[in-house]
Amino acid sequence: MFPSESPSSLLTGLNPEQLAAVTWPPQSALVLAGAGSGKTRVLTTRIAWLLQSGQASVHSIMAVTFTNKAAKEMQTRLGAMIPVNVRAMWLGTFHGLCHRFLRLHHRDANLPATFQILDSSDQLALIKRMLKQLNIAEEIIAPRSLQGFINAQKENGLRASALQAPDPQTQRMIECYAEYDRICQREGVVDFAELMLRSYEMLKSNEMLRVHYQNRFNHILVDEFQDTNKLQYAWLKLMAGSQAAVFAVGDD
């Protein structure tokens, strides 16, 4: 327990519903509430309360948000609530946490230690360069629509090898997706969607790694749960295993 203040002083100013959520037993919960009802505050206070009451350590908590702004805000609020090294915590966006994971395990991920991340415009530039090399005119496959296609497949957790084409145009798109992945691998670069997909694939296929993280995180807290896509949800389930208490807050 931290000496600065008692756990109960963290709870002042919470309404009965917020108080019930913050002090929920160490088991999974889905907290639904309207916009502007203090959901992020509940999540942050829950983390502080778990730490303050000795139910968790900074190393056994993972907190996931959707924007860097929300992650920064949570870090600032937490730092103000309790004397704790917030930087040591796994607190960030899905992509930020997957980036951290891949840097730590770049060998297992088959990536160079210095792998680069492509932003949206870098990704588009790579796609244009590839289409030129393949002699595919932009009238046949528009770079932006191929970019959208690739990102959508990755967000569904699907590689090119798992896709089937209903028509010749889609077949071309799938072949371009496979070639795009080969170029990224060769050049040691990953796009945003790849951060998530590669992390998910590693957790799924590498039992030692999966068990390590499942044993490490006893509490996984998720903000804006209504925004999670299929792949993010699958990644969360692998991280949590059967033991972790998943505390998710979302819009009703």
Side-chain angles (χ1 to χ4, degrees):
M1 186 168 310
F2 299 100
S4 64
E5 53 181 317
S6 71
S8 60
S9 63
L10 286 171
L11 309 176
T12 47
L14 297 176
N15 68 33
E17 287 86 1
Q18 290 171 334
L19 181 66
V22 167
T23 58
W24 182 254
Q27 59 202 48
S28 294
L30 175 59
V31 179
L32 297 175
S37 55
K39 291 190 294 291
T40 306
R41 181 191 177 190
V42 161
L43 201 72
T44 314
T45 312
R46 167 89 174 160
I47 295 170
W49 186 75
L50 287 169
L51 293 168
Q52 191 87 299
S53 59
Q55 295 182 64
S57 75
V58 283
H59 301 294
S60 69
I61 290 178
M62 178 197 279
V64 191
T65 66
F66 267 84
T67 64
N68 289 319
K69 185 174 173 253
K72 286 244 176 354
E73 200 178 300
M74 271 175 84
Q75 283 184 332
T76 308
R77 281 191 194 178
L78 262 179
M81 282 178 178
I82 46 173
V84 65
N85 178 10
V86 184
R87 297 238 167 269
M89 278 183 68
W90 278 57
L91 190 166
T93 61
F94 277 104
H95 292 97
L97 294 178
C98 287
H99 179 207
R100 183 173 180 170
F101 175 82
L102 291 178
R103 289 277 175 216
L104 282 171
H105 307 290
H106 66 89
R107 279 196 192 84
D108 291 313
N110 193 19
L111 287 169
T114 55
F115 72 85
Q116 300 290 306
I117 298 174
L118 302 174
D119 66 18
S120 188
S121 58
D122 296 331
Q123 184 189 31
L124 191 61
L126 190 151
I127 286 169
K128 285 179 177 173
R129 169 161 59 94
M130 176 189 76
L131 290 172
K132 208 167 180 178
Q133 285 167 354
L134 296 172
N135 286 323
I136 297 174
E138 295 195 2
E139 296 76 40
I140 294 175
I141 292 181
R144 276 193 193 282
S145 64
L146 179 57
Q147 181 179 32
F149 175 81
I150 289 170
N151 292 338
Q153 302 313 320
K154 288 191 180 193
E155 281 165 15
N156 279 323
L158 299 169
R159 293 282 178 203
S161 56
L163 298 171
Q164 287 179 322
D167 54 70
Q169 179 66 0
T170 311
Q171 184 56 42
R172 273 198 290 263
M173 302 277 268
I174 293 169
E175 285 162 9
C176 286
Y177 174 18
E179 179 59 22
Y180 167 85
D181 260 359
R182 280 192 287 273
I183 293 171
C184 288
Q185 188 60 43
R186 193 169 66 235
E187 296 183 2
V189 295
V190 296
D191 55 52
F192 278 130
E194 183 68 25
L195 291 171
M196 194 82 227
L197 180 54
R198 184 88 56 123
S199 301
Y200 166 74
E201 287 172 342
M202 283 171 67
L203 283 171
K204 198 169 164 41
S205 63
N206 187 327
E207 193 189 359
M208 256 176 71
L209 209 53
R210 185 170 68 246
V211 169
H212 166 77
Y213 281 99
Q214 287 176 353
N215 288 337
R216 174 178 175 166
F217 296 120
N218 308 337
H219 292 273
I220 296 178
L221 301 98
V222 192
D223 200 12
E224 305 289 0
F225 189 63
Q226 75 282 352
D227 291 337
T228 46
N229 66 28
K230 198 172 155 186
L231 183 60
Q232 289 162 340
Y233 184 65
W235 178 85
L236 279 171
K237 280 174 76 170
L238 284 181
M239 272 287 186
S242 58
Q243 314 297 324
V246 179
F247 185 90
V249 301
D251 281 353
D252 53 2

